[in-house]
Amino acid sequence: MAPIFLTPPTDPHTALSISAQANTFLSAQKTLWSSLPYPLSLFLNTESQEKWTSYENLFLALLRTGDHDSAYTCLEALTTRFGKTNDHILALQGLYQEATAKNKEELEEVMKAYDEVLQEDRTIFSVRKRRAALLRSVGKPEEAIADLTVLLDASPTDGEAWAELSDLYLEVGALEQAVYCLEEVLLVTPHAWNMHARLGEVLYMSAIKMEGGEQTKTLSESMRRFCRSIELCDGYLRGYYGLRLTTSKLLEMLRDGKKGQVATSDPVTGDLAPPSVATVKKLNQLATAKLGEIVRRGTAGEKGWDGYSEAELKAAKALIDSDTQKIER
Amino acid sequence: MAGPIEQQIHRDPALFYWILLPITVVMILTGILRHYLSTLLQTTPKKQALLKMREQRHLMRARNMIINHAQISKAAFNKRKEWFADKVKEGTLLESGPDGKAKGKPNPLSDPAMMDGMMGMMKGQMVMMVPQSLIMGWINAFFSGYVIMKLPFPLTPQFKQMLQAGVGTRDLDVRWVSSLSWYFLTLFGLQPVYNFILGSNNAASQVAQQMQMQQQGNPMAGAEDMEKIFAAEVENLEVVEHWYVLDGVEDRLLAKFASSI
């Protein structure tokens, strides 16, 4: 079984490449032997964890690429294996109905089906998550937030739900809540560098809206988050990008001469002192150098540097170019 | 070289076909039967009630908070700490809600979930005990007192008890194995055969099952007083000496990359 099926299709590229192999995969599963009648089929043990993971990933990829018929075959296989009332299957069935819904009314019906399932058994988290996702995709973030809060009250160790909730809060502009949710994610997964960087991003967004000493504080916190993210994963493009942004901004502010506002660390609230100008400068140089290297090698597609997404590389390149232009002027 | 004289016993070859082989085959077959029986009798694990799960997860969250407190700032940590302490004081995180606080430890026998667990265990034990005693009786009735084979290597006399159960001769060489002992040997030694036939995750061997049961511990000890556990967790949170992972991270980072720039 190709390992390609074992990773969920999170971006269009993998989705496309997985669904391109759908037919070979499905026909390989249907050998002569697997069609034996019931008692004989017990002797041929083709069960494996990977098989069903592949089925699910293939299903998701096929939905993404719009091949609904093959997706239905996958779903059927999964349903016959795990039963109609399995939590996970319920969510997958809902997903299929959502994907094939043609208009708003059909989506409403899917929603009603979710409500019914949840009324019967309130503990099915997978369906609750689907409901929240559906609410979000039809443009009702407030209701999705309410749904997720219910879920998180019952299960506060669910990092995935916290991350989604933070995204939703960001969507409606509640930055403080978004930060809180991301901190909660970090409590569950302390070494997730992408989450550190994400928190840095949200902090940066809220710092832009602030003024004075408060802004310096939040900016340096954001900068430190990016630092931590890079410390955990030293090839992380978003981390360097954020570090570059925050340090440039911080340098500007420190240069403007508003020094000495919160110069020392505060032991009561535990706030850290803003970093010195020299450190920020060095970090800025480091980020620039690293970004340059990543962009150069990433676009060239060198071995070991080819995992970066194109859009991110372009954005990083734009950031570097915009700064050099400023200097030229 | 004057070694001990080898004992010679002439065995009827029929002993091999009518005792050794049947015992072995029957033992293997009962193992397989036991595997499928326990698979059949297995109760699907019951879903945890929502409130119970909520209680457990809030507890887990507090523990996570203690372990990973360095990831968030002191202010954020204090905020969460206070929230948790408040909720514990109100008792809203408990399964039974704020009113159930004073009720104390429930009786495990009155709890249906507990009963289910014990039922499962009883079933498992039945599946193990019944065939074992049946076969033991069968062998005792038909085959006791036979010496059925000779081991190809010498052994010390300590093995006599193990290898010659049911044969009451003192002078017999230890290398001779009695039928009852053969039964015991197969009982404990067939695990690799089951692994080969049924896959490694089988329920055929009783030795493995007994070990598992010991690890599971006593089902009666399950219900604790959650309120006390929560209170202890609040105290643990109280004594956490907070440090922040972001403290000095920029210097660490610069030191790390000092060589490369």
Side-chain angles (χ1 to χ4, degrees):
Chain A
M1 203 164 292
I4 182 176
F5 289 111
L6 296 182
T7 47
T10 42
D11 59 298
H13 273 295
T14 34
L16 263 181
S17 56
I18 289 180
S19 61
Q21 295 181 35
N23 277 330
T24 21
F25 175 81
L26 286 178
S27 54
Q29 295 294 325
K30 264 194 215 116
T31 48
L32 174 75
W33 294 103
S34 60
S35 53
L36 281 174
Y38 162 66
L40 292 177
S41 61
L42 282 181
F43 289 107
L44 294 159
N45 201 355
T46 52
E47 286 284 296
S48 69
Q49 198 106 47
E50 289 87 23
K51 181 177 171 186
W52 300 112
T53 317
S54 321
Y55 261 111
E56 191 187 336
N57 288 335
L58 183 62
F59 170 69
L60 296 175
L62 286 170
L63 280 189
R64 279 192 82 146
T65 47
D67 190 350
H68 292 163
D69 295 335
S70 311
Y72 190 73
T73 327
C74 290
L75 182 63
E76 247 183 354
L78 282 165
T79 317
T80 40
R81 171 64 184 83
F82 295 102
K84 267 203 171 112
T85 50
N86 184 292
D87 292 4
H88 209 69
I89 297 295
L90 278 173
L92 289 183
Q93 274 171 342
L95 195 64
Y96 177 77
Q97 280 156 6
E98 277 175 46
T100 46
K102 286 183 195 73
N103 46 36
K104 271 235 154 118
E105 285 77 52
E106 283 186 36
L107 279 179
E108 294 285 326
E109 256 169 49
V110 178
M111 185 78 83
K112 260 182 216 154
Y114 285 156
D115 284 342
E116 267 170 36
V117 171
L118 287 175
Q119 237 164 27
E120 262 172 46
D121 187 351
R122 286 163 60 220
T123 50
I124 303 180
F125 286 134
S126 51
V127 175
R128 203 172 272 280
K129 280 183 186 171
R130 271 295 352 128
R131 192 177 122 92
L134 180 58
L135 279 170
R136 186 184 180 182
S137 62
V138 296
K140 292 176 184 164
E142 286 86 6
E143 283 177 43
I145 286 174
D147 232 34
L148 278 177
T149 346
V150 171
L151 194 150
L152 284 168
D153 177 57
S155 161
T157 47
D158 191 336
E160 187 185 49
W162 278 114
E164 178 74 13
L165 184 59
S166 115
D167 269 7
L168 280 165
Y169 272 130
L170 205 59
E171 209 174 295
V172 296
L175 291 170
E176 211 174 310
Q177 279 89 335
V179 169
Y180 184 92
C181 295
L182 281 173
E183 282 171 351
E184 210 54 57
V185 177
L186 282 179
L187 284 177
V188 182
T189 55
H191 300 299
W193 62 83
N194 52 352
M195 280 299 144
H196 276 287
R198 182 77 189 144
L199 184 48
E201 281 163 28
V202 177
L203 281 170
Y204 178 73
M205 281 180 229
S206 55
I208 290 172
K209 287 187 187 162
M210 293 175 184
E211 272 178 13
E214 198 65 10
Q215 187 177 25
T216 327
K217 217 179 77 186
T218 318
L219 254 185
S220 42
E221 166 115 17
S222 159
M223 185 201 83
R224 288 194 171 103
R225 281 284 167 208
F226 286 121
C227 285
R228 176 72 184 151
S229 160
I230 297 167
E231 194 182 29
L232 287 168
C233 170
D234 53 12
Y236 193 47
L237 180 67
R238 287 185 92 103
Y240 287 114
Y241 190 94
L243 188 61
R244 173 69 205 257
L245 267 185
T246 46
T247 45
S248 317
K249 190 98 181 165
L250 260 180
L251 273 180
E252 251 172 57
M253 286 173 49
L254 293 173
R255 222 180 275 145
D256 283 352
K258 282 182 191 166
K259 282 177 211 163
Q261 282 193 345
V262 200
T264 49
S265 65
D266 193 340
V268 183
T269 53
D271 289 333
L272 303 173
S276 69
V277 183
T279 327
V280 178
K281 232 178 212 163
K282 268 192 210 155
L283 282 173
N284 192 320
Q285 283 165 359
L286 170 74
T288 318
K290 272 281 179 186
L291 269 184
E293 189 184 3
I294 291 175
V295 168
R296 184 160 46 79
R297 296 192 153 176
T299 20
E302 269 182 51
K303 211 179 170 202
W305 296 79
D306 47 1
Y308 296 103
S309 97
E310 248 167 75
E312 285 183 358
L313 279 179
K314 265 183 196 147
K317 196 163 187 315
L319 180 76
I320 300 173
D321 289 350
S322 74
D323 262 37
T324 44
Q325 272 172 13
K326 226 183 270 168
I327 294 163
E328 275 165 18
R329 260 182 247 148
Chain B
M1 292 286 275
I5 306 153
E6 273 210 10
Q7 288 175 341
Q8 284 296 331
I9 302 176
H10 289 287
R11 283 160 294 154
D12 191 340
L15 281 176
F16 177 77
Y17 295 114
W18 294 101
I19 298 183
L20 191 71
L21 220 56
I23 291 180
T24 318
V25 169
V26 164
M27 286 310 290
I28 292 175
L29 287 180
T30 37
I32 293 170
L33 184 76
R34 193 182 294 130
H35 170 73
Y36 283 115
L37 257 184
S38 56
T39 324
L40 263 179
L41 288 178
Q42 229 164 34
T43 42
T44 41
K46 233 187 182 172
K47 231 189 221 167
Q48 252 183 336
L50 185 65
L51 284 172
K52 182 82 192 155
M53 189 155 71
R54 178 167 178 263
E55 182 185 83
Q56 292 289 345
R57 297 217 170 149
H58 272 284
L59 195 65
M60 211 147 80
R61 175 172 176 242
R63 286 186 183 151
N64 269 346
M65 210 139 68
I66 293 169
I67 300 166
N68 298 329
H69 70 269
Q71 306 301 325
I72 57 176
S73 68
K74 192 164 184 179
F77 178 69
N78 282 340
K79 201 159 67 185
R80 285 173 172 76
K81 193 165 80 182
E82 274 154 30
W83 182 88
F84 187 70
D86 277 356
K87 291 286 160 182
V88 171
K89 212 183 248 168
E90 289 164 23
T92 39
L93 297 183
L94 292 172
E95 185 191 3
S96 43
D99 315 323
K101 257 178 94 169
K103 239 173 38 187
K105 195 173 165 174
N107 183 5
L109 283 175
S110 65
D111 188 357
M114 271 310 159
M115 284 306 274
D116 263 12
M118 276 191 288
M119 250 336 248
M121 213 170 245
M122 289 277 278
K123 271 187 213 160
Q125 235 144 13
M126 284 286 277
V127 171
M128 245 162 33
M129 293 300 289
V130 169
Q132 199 179 333
S133 47
L134 278 181
I135 292 171
M136 182 82 179
W138 172 66
I139 288 178
N140 242 336
F142 285 94
F143 306 129
S144 71
Y146 289 104
V147 168
I148 51 172
M149 66 174 199
K150 186 186 180 191
L151 294 176
F153 43 84
L155 284 167
T156 52
Q158 275 88 347
F159 284 96
K160 204 169 170 65
Q161 222 174 4
M162 186 178 123
L163 293 179
Q164 290 175 0
V167 179
T169 37
R170 265 196 298 145
D171 297 334
L172 195 63
D173 192 4
V174 198
R175 293 166 67 180
W176 297 99
V177 179
S178 75
S179 55
L180 202 60
S181 296
W182 179 244
Y183 161 71
F184 279 116
L185 286 184
T186 47
L187 185 67
F188 294 112
L190 278 180
Q191 184 60 37
V193 179
Y194 297 141
N195 283 352
F196 176 68
I197 303 174
L198 301 167
S200 58
N201 200 9
N202 64 63
S205 170
Q206 37 208 331
V207 189
Q209 279 205 351
Q210 270 159 4
M211 299 251 271
Q212 200 183 7
M213 211 152 277
Q214 274 160 12
Q215 274 161 14
Q216 272 171 0
N218 189 0
M220 306 283 239
E224 308 102 336
D225 192 351
M226 288 310 283
E227 197 197 335
K228 277 192 192 128
I229 295 177
F230 270 111
E233 220 53 51
V234 171
E235 262 172 42
N236 287 344
L237 270 175
E238 216 45 71
V239 295
V240 165
E241 208 169 298
H242 187 270
W243 68 280
Y244 197 11
V245 76
L246 296 193
D247 193 359
V249 66
E250 61 268 27
D251 298 328
R252 288 205 301 270
L253 192 71
L254 282 176
K256 187 175 163 191
F257 284 103
S259 52
S260 62
I261 23 175

